[in-house]
Amino acid sequence: MPPKAAAGKDKSKAQGKKAADQKAAKAQSGGGKAKKKKWSKGKVREKLNNLVMWDQGIVDKLHNEVPKWRVITVSILSDRLHVNGSLAREGLKYLAARGQIREVCKGIFSRATTAA
């Protein structure tokens, strides 16, 4: 016959496990009354007002400032000169054809440097 102390420990373990199972079941069922979810309004982004046609001021910036930048992409050109993407692509092609910038890899340009 096993000792009584060991049997008492087994019963307490079984009761402890049963209590833990009941707590887990209660947590899964949700418990009390839940608060309603409040939906966030969301952040509203300011609409960009980019130009869709070249004007003289932008063309001057394109000739004077852009060839001095280290990295030139459509996104950067569009952001800094406030022109839309198609104008930015057109401007990059124009500067590359004139030799003012050079293409490093597809879509990424850099200022034209003399070959050393």
Side-chain angles (χ1 to χ4, degrees):
M1 202 168 167
K4 289 185 178 181
K9 286 183 183 177
D10 288 338
K11 283 184 180 179
S12 65
K13 283 184 183 177
Q15 288 175 350
K17 188 176 180 183
K18 200 179 226 183
D21 288 342
Q22 287 174 349
K23 284 181 184 177
K26 192 172 189 179
Q28 286 177 349
S29 68
K33 194 173 187 179
K35 292 183 179 178
K36 284 191 172 182
K37 179 171 176 19
K38 294 188 176 182
W39 294 94
S40 67
K41 302 289 187 250
K43 292 184 179 178
V44 179
R45 229 178 114 196
E46 190 175 314
K47 184 152 174 60
L48 297 174
N49 192 15
N50 289 342
L51 298 175
V52 293
M53 300 210 32
W54 294 110
D55 66 354
Q56 193 56 46
I58 299 298
V59 173
D60 292 341
K61 279 186 183 180
L62 184 73
H63 286 292
N64 298 331
E65 293 179 16
V66 176
K68 296 175 186 172
W69 298 346
R70 283 178 184 242
V71 177
I72 309 162
T73 63
V74 173
S75 175
I76 291 172
L77 192 67
S78 173
D79 188 44
R80 292 185 188 171
L81 295 185
H82 302 289
V83 295
N84 69 358
S86 60
L87 278 187
R89 284 192 302 273
E90 187 181 303
L92 288 176
K93 287 178 189 173
Y94 174 74
L95 290 176
R98 290 188 63 188
Q100 290 185 310
I101 61 175
R102 65 182 173 87
E103 190 166 11
V104 177
C105 62
K106 187 175 185 207
I108 300 174
F109 293 82
S110 181
R111 56 188 170 193
T113 55
T114 57

